[in-house]
């Protein structure tokens, strides 16, 4: 059973960079069966897909965030990471990492989510 | 981007009732649609993939149907543990997009 766990600062100052890491256990991040995605959810609102990375290192980003987002993978640590720069209060949300099945893009496995607040 | 419009945004029903949620896509997405359940404070959980396929371990009272631009999600007999918000998600095109959610409550 694949498990994902997000980690990173819960508070980020405006204009700075939000950095989160997702550690994958119970499976290999080098699996060809999954993309590794980031999704966020502002309080009381819906889900927004941020982007994803494949084991090859290829990435796809949501155009709405593309200019500010970088997703990377560290296969030696079985982790993938999110960096979102120039954050504002609008980036305050619960951030989830998720395993996105390669063949039909269903999010099979999710982390528990981590709240990131952007505030001075 | 493909816009996913869910309705209603919320509903209240009695235990044992049949509940139906609709999801409309802004363009033809074939059957490239998934449904998730999210309980308060928890991550979403996959229920239905490929519009109508029940994820392993999910109770059979949950079902999905539809294709192209119109999809439905049904709970045939609402149970107290089904109180949650339900989301559709399209994967026909990037970016992957979700519907706005339907909050289901017990009357």
């Amino acid at each position: 059973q694949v498990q994902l766990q997000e980690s990173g600062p819960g508070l980020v100052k405006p204009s700075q960079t939000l950095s989160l890491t997702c550690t994958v256990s119970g499976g290999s991040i080098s699996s060809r069966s999954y993309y590794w995605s980031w999704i966020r959810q502002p309080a009381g609102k819906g889900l927004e897909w941020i982007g994803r990375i494949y084991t090859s290192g290829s990435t796809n980003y949501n155009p709405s965030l593309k200019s500010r987002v970088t997703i990377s993978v560290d296969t030696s640590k079985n982790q993938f990471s999110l960096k979102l720069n120039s954050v504002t209060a609008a980036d305050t949300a619960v951030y989830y990492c998720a395993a996105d099945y390669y063949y039909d893009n269903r999010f099979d496995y999710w982390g528990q989510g981590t709240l990131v607040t952007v505030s001075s | 981007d493909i816009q996913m419009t869910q309705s209603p945004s919320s509903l209240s029903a009695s235990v044992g009732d049949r509940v139906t949620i609709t999801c409309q896509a802004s363009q033809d997405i074939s059957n490239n649609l998934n449904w998730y359940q999210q309980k308060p404070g928890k991550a979403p959980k996959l229920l239905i993939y490929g519009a109508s396929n029940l994820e392993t371990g999910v109770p059979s009272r949950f079902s999905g149907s539809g294709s192209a631009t119109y999809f439905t999600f049904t709970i045939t007999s609402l149970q107290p543990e089904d109180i949650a918000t339900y989301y559709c998600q399209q994967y026909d095109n990037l970016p992957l997009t979700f519907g706005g959610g339907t909050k289901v409550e017990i009357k």
Side-chain angles (χ1 to χ4, degrees), chain A residues 2-6 21-24 29 33-40 47-54 71 80 95-102 105-113, chain B residues 36 43-46 89 96 98:
Chain A
V2 175
Q3 294 183 314
L4 298 93
Q5 177 69 58
E6 305 89 351
T21 296
C22 183
T23 301
V24 179
I29 205 163
S33 296
Y34 287 98
Y35 292 99
W36 305 97
S37 276
W38 288 98
I39 295 160
R40 70 180 182 178
L47 299 158
E48 180 181 32
W49 177 73
I50 298 169
R52 68 186 183 187
I53 191 164
Y54 192 56
I71 297 175
F80 63 107
Y95 285 75
Y96 295 99
C97 56
D100 168 6
Y101 190 55
Y102 181 86
N105 299 137
R106 62 180 123 148
F107 294 107
D108 273 337
Y109 304 104
W110 296 69
Q112 65 185 22
Chain B
Y36 300 86
K45 173 188 173 184
L46 177 70
Q89 173 239 328
L96 305 176
F98 293 86

Side-chain angles (χ1 to χ4, degrees), chain A residues 3-4 14 19 21 25 32-33 35 46 48-49 54 56 58 61 73 78-79 83 91 95 98 103 105 110 116 119:
Chain A
Q3 294 183 314
L4 298 93
S19 296
T21 296
S25 58
R32 295 183 180 183
S33 296
Y35 292 99
E48 180 181 32
W49 177 73
Y54 192 56
S56 63
S58 68
Y61 298 129
V73 64
N78 228 32
Q79 295 176 334
K83 290 189 185 302
D91 295 310
Y95 285 75
Y103 300 101
N105 299 137
W110 296 69
V116 179
S119 175

